[in-house]
């Protein structure tokens, strides 16, 4: 089993920054594709960013490109999402996810149904 715990959310003004962390435990995820998703009230959960096992491949939703950066530290077993130039439309619960069937994959994953482990989420609120 894999456990994922997100942290780092909070309230920030538009234009500000936050850094989300996903701490993993249980079975190691160092070989898995990892992703961040978000869900705003009344909306579907949507893709934000994904990273392959080595960190050499990343992918981003168009809405966050150039503002967000995903990274991972396989020694510390963490995955991070640096969010800069935040906008009110970034307000959502942010979720960390892992795909356990992607060992050492040379790809990223943007579809939420591809992920089989999820954290509980952390709230990010951006005020205007």
């Amino acid at each position: 089993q894999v456990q994922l715990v997100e942290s780092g959310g909070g309230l920030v003004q538009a234009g500000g920054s936050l850094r989300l962390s996903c701490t993993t435990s249980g079975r190691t995820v160092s070989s898995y594709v990892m992703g961040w998703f978000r869900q705003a009230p009344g909306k579907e959960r949507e893709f934000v960013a994904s990273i392959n096992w080595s960190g050499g491949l990343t992918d981003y939703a168009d809405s966050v490109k150039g503002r967000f950066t995903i990274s991972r530290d396989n020694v510390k077993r963490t995955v991070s999402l640096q969010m800069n130039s935040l906008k009110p439309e970034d307000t959502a619960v942010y979720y960390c996810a892992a795909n356990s069937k992607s060992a050492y994959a040379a790809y990223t994953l943007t579809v939420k149904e591809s992920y089989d482990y999820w954290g509980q989420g952390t709230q990010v609120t951006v005020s205007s």
Side-chain angles (χ1 to χ4, degrees):
Q1 289 294 317
V2 173
Q3 290 80 44
L4 308 174
V5 178
E6 302 92 339
S7 62
L11 174 64
V12 64
Q13 288 188 331
S17 299
L18 282 175
R19 185 176 181 87
L20 304 184
S21 291
C22 175
T23 301
T24 73
S25 60
R27 191 166 41 165
T28 180
V29 301
S30 61
S31 66
Y32 298 168
V33 171
M34 301 292 293
W36 284 96
F37 289 75
R38 66 187 183 187
Q39 188 167 16
K43 294 189 176 181
E44 292 286 321
R45 190 170 298 189
E46 65 175 7
F47 169 73
V48 175
S50 178
I51 189 168
N52 81 320
W53 71 276
S54 67
L57 292 175
T58 58
D59 198 3
Y60 298 92
D62 287 343
S63 58
V64 307
K65 276 181 184 175
R67 300 188 298 122
F68 290 11
T69 302
I70 189 172
S71 61
R72 67 190 299 163
D73 186 327
N74 286 337
V75 174
K76 295 182 179 179
R77 302 180 66 177
T78 59
V79 180
S80 299
L81 185 69
Q82 177 66 42
M83 305 187 297
N84 299 328
S85 302
L86 283 161
K87 305 175 181 180
E89 50 264 43
D90 294 318
T91 295
V93 177
Y94 283 71
Y95 297 91
C96 177
N99 176 288
S100 67
K101 301 174 177 62
S102 58
Y104 303 107
Y107 55 75
T108 56
L109 295 165
T110 63
V111 177
K112 62 181 184 292
E113 288 78 10
S114 299
Y115 292 85
D116 49 352
Y117 291 101
W118 292 85
Q120 293 299 305
T122 185
Q123 176 71 47
V124 171
T125 303
V126 184
S127 63
S128 57

